[in-house]
Each structure stands twice: as C-alpha cells, then as structure tokens.
Amino acid sequence: MSNADELLRIEGIRKTFPGVVALDSVDFDLRRGEVHVLLGENGAGKSTLIKMLSGAYRPDAGRILAGGEEVRIHGAQDSERLGIATIYQEFNLVPDLTVAENIFLGRQPRRLGVIDRKRMDAEAAVLLERVGVNVPPRARVRELGIARLQMVEIAKALSLNARVLIMDEPTAVLTSEEVDKLFAIVRRLREDGVGIVFITHHLEEIAALGDRVTVIRDGRSVGQVPASTPQDELVRLMVGRSIEQQYPRERAETGAALLSVEGLTRDGVFHDVSFEVRAGEVVGVAGLVGAGRTEVVRAVFGADPYDRGTVRVAGAPLPRHDVNAAMTAGIGLVPEDRKGQGLVLDQSVEENLGLVTMRAATRGGLVDLKGQREAAARIAAQLGVRMAGLGQQVRTLSGGNQQKVVIGKWLLADTKVLILDEPTRGIDVGAKVEIYQLVNELTAAGAAVLMISSDLPEVLGMSDRVLVMAQGRIAGELPAEQATQDAVMALAVSAPATPRTTPTTTEVEAGRGR
C-alpha cells in the first residue's frame, strides 16, 4: 500500500471520562476505496472513536493523521474540512425542512446574497440520483421512511465531497431488500475511491461487504483481520471467549395460559387476532414489515386502542387502552424503540430501573429511596450492566446496556408476561446471548414471554412456538420442531382470507407495522 492510498490513521488514541477509560491505545487505519469494518461489543469504545473523528470529542493522548499529516479535529467543521462525514444511528436531519435544505444545511448556494433554491434543488437531485433514491428535492424530510432518510444522509455526506464516510449501524432498521440497495451504493462509493468505516453487529454483513476488520474490546484494539475471517473467530476476538450456543434456549415446563388474546381487531390495522402464551414458554411472532406485529402487542399492553376482542391475564379480563391496568396485571413491554419509548434518557440508571416500581414503593407520598436503590443495584448486578455507577445518565450507556436497563425495570416489577419487541436490535452477539439467558431464567421461574423479532434465526432459535402474521392476521402457528425459515416465510407471504388496509409506503419504510 502506498502512502497515497492511506486516507486516515489513528495511533495510540486514549480517551477517558470520569471513572471510565473509554479508549486505551487504539490503532486504526483506512485506505482509499475500501470498507473497513469496526467491530466490537456495545460499550467497547466504537462510538467514542467515531465521535473523535467527527469532532464531538478530543483525544487525551495519541494522534490522528489524514493523508499522512497529523491533524487536530476540534469540531464538526474541522471534520468536514478533512473530508470526513459521519452517518449516525440517529439521523441528523431537520424534519420540517426539505430534502434539499437538509442536504445543504448551512451551505446553501446563494445568488446575490439570496439562497438560490433552483440551483440547490438541481444539485440535490444529482446527489439523490447518485445514491439511487427517487425522492423529490422539495419533499419534507418528515414525510420519508427510514430507508429514504438513510439515503438522504448519504447524499448529504457526498455533498461535502467526503473522502471518508463513517456509517454507524446503517442496516439496523432496514429490510433485507433495503440492505441490498444500501450495499450496492456502498460498493459504488468504494469504486469511486471513498474510504468507508462500517460499524455493524450483523456478522454476516462483514464478509458480504467488508475488506478488513478491526476489533475493539474493552477500549483496546485487539486485532485486525481480513473480512473473510470465520464468524466464530470474530466472536472470540470481540467478546474474549467462544460462544458455544448462539441461541441457548432451555425449554421449561409449561403451565396455565398467562396471556390470552381473542378476536383482537383494530379496523384497518389488524383483524381477529387470537393466541395465548403459557407460563414457562416463549412464543415468537414473525412476519414481514407491515404485518401488524407491533400494533397488536401495543394494543395488548394498552398503549394503543382496539375496536373488538378481549385480552385476559391469568384468566382475568383486561380493560382496553389502559397501560396502568396492564402493568398492575403483570404485563411488561420492552418496545422496539428503546430510546424513544423505553427510557428517560436524561435520568440515571437507578431512576430508570425504578420507573415501574416507584408507585408501589411510595408510602404517604414518600418514595422508599433506599429500597429502590438497593433493588436497582441488585438487578443491575444480576444483568451485568456496564456502568460507572447507578447515578450514571442512561443516555451515556451503550445500546446493549440500555436494553438491559429497559428489561431490568420489568424484572423489578415481578412481571408475569414480558413482551419483547425487537429485543436485540443493534446489540452485539455477546449481549444477545446474555439477554437470551435472561429469557431462560424468566420462563424457568414461570413467566411467559412473547417475542417479536425481524431476525428470523432468533425467532426460530428461542421460541417454543412461532406465530406468523401476514397483513394484520395470524397466518399460522408452528411448533418449534416444524418452524423452519421456509415454513415461516411461506406463511408470512400468504394472503389472508379478508384483505386489510395496506399500510402506506412511508409506514412500511419507517418500519411501523412490524
């Protein structure tokens, strides 16, 4: 490799926060026209590293070189000037502005001191065509689904003439078809000489797209290997141990039905949905995007209304659209959007763990703070939450540890029926196995688990029975021994007896109706 091919080099980077060493002697380099995968568990230090490249953090030690010369990145403008663009998991777009306005935000072309909208729209159209997305430049960003938002972010990066493109979990909320389109764009950018830093927890994507892999563990770079390295070896490097079973389901003895749903209907969304979940079992819910899975469980939990049908917990009917009644009856919901719906990000780990139990811990208007703190410490230790302490703000935790906190608050509430909606999305393989073991502990203790997942191997590996939804109805039920990928997909694409209202393109792209 010639020096001219090296776009970026990081040498001996160290970064500390109060009580935490986030990065320690990390080395990394990126070449022109390659996809370099950055791999590591949640909390390994990947996000800290890319935030230093984007100017959000400054290193305490070590150096960053761009084009062979040492540089200092003190903010986003320095990063942009060096040709570095970052696409985060949470998109950095303004919903009320147009696509073109977002692409050129702060850099709008001007004519005689006035924004030249005609030129801005024309240049945006060229960029959008380059990334292969058919979106009008004057469309409002709030009207777009997740897949198109992703492409707008890439177009925005290209408008900066980025030589280095950092993509943080870009496939986490995309369908398989959308992933294929994204990969085609990434390959085209690679051919154009752009260097791409690609962060993913989907190990199968590494060999499909990557050239090299740098593995970070506990804030240190522990190895650089070819993208063709077997997945077992990547896992060993990433978590420091071999994982014998990716889906360690331990079947428990089943008991009476804890959750019974009969004829649940919300006109135009889902129709005549009936199922039950027994004590000691995991029931998986599979289906394509738009099948209505999330809408059904939100209705069961009382978060959304429904028109007809009944929900019973341990035989007792549950009032409609009443979250408090659902929680009192022993239902817990871990939502697919853990940051937006499952956590209060500005509060501490302790406060988030106590959200569900605070009412029960209140006597005479006073909260038993000592009891809450002791319970939070116990559950955090049980779940292995990596944190500086219970007072740490939950937004500063890694994705896997945030998910443990969301689950932990329901464990403290002694939940009978736990609904898990996309429980391991954006979580590394080590944290996934820890959550699966937790599911085993819950069912062994007599709880019932209803699990929605778009990760089909996860559904097959962890479920005792699989319900398959198609177009708002239960298309079929498969026992574990009959639940193969082919059998599930055959049901998932089947047409129901009575058609439902088809979700809009935007709803499907946004992932609503999972």
Side-chain angles (χ1 to χ4, degrees):
M1 180 195 75
S2 67
N3 289 337
D5 287 330
E6 185 176 278
L7 294 172
L8 198 65
R9 176 173 290 275
I10 293 168
E11 295 180 348
I13 285 290
R14 178 179 172 85
K15 180 64 180 177
T16 61
F17 299 99
V20 178
V21 179
L23 294 173
D24 190 12
S25 301
V26 170
D27 298 317
F28 179 84
D29 68 280
L30 179 68
R31 302 168 187 168
R32 188 183 309 276
E34 78 161 348
V35 177
H36 194 149
V37 178
L38 193 59
L39 187 64
E41 290 188 275
N42 295 107
K46 305 185 300 297
S47 295
T48 302
L49 183 60
I50 65 173
K51 283 180 179 178
M52 277 193 279
L53 293 174
S54 63
Y57 295 155
R58 299 183 190 180
D60 299 327
R63 61 181 191 153
I64 300 172
L65 296 93
E69 296 185 3
E70 186 171 352
V71 296
R72 300 187 185 279
I73 305 176
H74 292 160
Q77 288 185 334
D78 288 341
S79 181
E80 290 179 7
R81 181 174 47 81
L82 293 167
I84 301 171
T86 304
I87 300 175
Y88 294 101
Q89 285 181 347
E90 289 81 27
F91 299 136
N92 190 24
L93 299 171
V94 182
D96 289 326
L97 296 183
T98 68
V99 169
E101 287 168 338
N102 270 279
I103 289 174
F104 293 103
L105 189 62
R107 301 173 291 109
Q108 298 95 329
R110 293 179 179 272
R111 187 168 179 266
L112 302 176
V114 179
I115 293 175
D116 188 342
R117 293 191 176 276
K118 186 175 179 180
R119 178 184 161 196
M120 182 171 67
D121 290 344
E123 292 182 2
V126 171
L127 292 165
L128 293 166
E129 184 178 1
R130 185 178 173 189
V131 299
V133 61
N134 183 22
V135 176
R138 295 202 175 187
R140 298 285 170 184
V141 160
R142 68 165 61 257
E143 300 168 359
L144 304 183
I146 294 293
R148 290 184 173 187
L149 291 176
Q150 185 81 263
M151 301 312 169
V152 172
E153 282 278 21
I154 296 174
K156 182 178 177 181
L158 295 180
S159 75
L160 298 166
N161 295 315
R163 293 176 296 159
V164 174
L165 181 58
I166 302 171
M167 307 183 80
D168 186 8
E169 290 284 348
T171 65
V173 293
L174 301 184
T175 66
S176 58
E177 183 180 348
E178 291 163 351
V179 169
D180 290 341
K181 290 179 181 177
L182 176 67
F183 280 13
I185 293 167
V186 171
R187 293 187 183 103
R188 200 154 61 237
L189 293 173
R190 177 169 58 186
E191 290 170 4
D192 291 343
V194 177
I196 296 159
V197 181
F198 197 88
I199 298 174
T200 183
H201 288 309
H202 297 290
L203 299 184
E204 70 278 2
E205 294 178 355
I206 294 173
L209 191 67
D211 297 299
R212 290 187 293 157
V213 182
T214 288
V215 182
I216 296 181
R217 184 172 75 236
D218 297 330
R220 292 175 172 268
S221 43
V222 295
Q224 188 179 102
V225 295
S228 57
T229 301
Q231 289 188 16
D232 289 350
E233 175 63 12
L234 292 175
V235 171
R236 189 192 64 77
L237 285 168
M238 187 167 60
V239 304
R241 66 187 190 280
S242 296
I243 292 180
E244 303 301 328
Q245 272 189 294
Q246 194 171 355
Y247 303 106
R249 176 66 181 133
E250 297 171 5
R251 312 291 172 189
E253 189 172 328
T254 58
L258 290 183
L259 176 65
S260 301
V261 176
E262 187 174 348
L264 207 65
T265 299
R266 182 178 175 187
D267 293 332
V269 181
F270 51 82
H271 186 79
D272 197 25
V273 173
S274 300
F275 63 89
E276 64 179 22
V277 189
R278 296 182 171 274
E281 76 171 342
V282 177
V283 173
V285 186
L288 300 177
V289 171
R293 295 172 293 168
T294 290
E295 284 86 349
V296 167
V297 298
R298 283 180 57 84
V300 168
F301 185 63
D304 291 341
Y306 57 91
D307 298 311
R308 294 177 296 283
T310 58
V311 177
R312 289 184 171 85
V313 178
L318 201 61
R320 298 184 189 189
H321 205 190
D322 190 335
V323 170
N324 286 330
M327 291 193 297
T328 301
I331 300 182
L333 171 64
V334 175
E336 61 176 343
D337 179 7
R338 61 174 169 264
K339 289 187 177 180
Q341 300 173 1
L343 297 166
V344 181
L345 294 175
D346 291 329
Q347 290 190 356
S348 67
V349 172
E350 178 184 337
E351 288 168 325
N352 272 274
L353 285 170
L355 285 174
V356 180
T357 55
M358 184 174 294
R359 181 180 297 178
T362 302
R363 295 287 183 273
L366 298 175
V367 180
D368 179 9
L369 294 177
K370 181 181 178 183
Q372 286 281 88
R373 186 171 298 113
E374 290 174 350
R378 173 176 53 80
I379 208 72
Q382 178 186 336
L383 297 178
V385 178
R386 293 185 183 180
M387 57 184 180
L390 288 172
Q392 183 174 349
Q393 199 176 59
V394 79
R395 73 162 61 250
T396 64
L397 298 180
S398 68
N401 286 299
Q402 286 180 345
Q403 189 73 328
K404 289 178 183 179
V405 172
V406 179
I407 294 173
K409 70 181 182 183
W410 294 113
L411 297 185
L412 280 176
D414 196 23
T415 301
K416 296 176 185 175
V417 179
L418 184 61
I419 302 171
L420 301 172
D421 193 355
E422 303 290 359
T424 64
R425 176 181 288 162
I427 292 178
D428 63 77
V429 66
K432 283 183 179 181
V433 172
E434 291 175 352
I435 288 174
Y436 299 151
Q437 295 286 16
L438 179 59
V439 168
N440 287 334
E441 292 173 17
L442 284 167
T443 54
V449 175
L450 182 65
M451 184 176 72
I452 296 171
S453 178
S454 297
D455 184 344
L456 194 47
E458 176 175 80
V459 172
L460 300 180
M462 288 301 296
S463 301
D464 302 309
R465 290 185 291 124
V466 178
L467 304 174
V468 184
M469 288 193 67
Q471 299 185 49
R473 292 174 175 265
I474 300 289
E477 178 183 319
L478 298 167
E481 58 273 14
Q482 295 177 17
T484 64
Q485 292 203 27
D486 289 344
V488 169
M489 289 308 298
L491 289 168
V493 299
S494 63
T498 302
R500 67 177 287 243
T501 301
T502 304
T504 66
T505 301
T506 299
E507 285 175 329
V508 173
E509 287 174 342
R512 292 193 291 272
R514 276 184 158 74

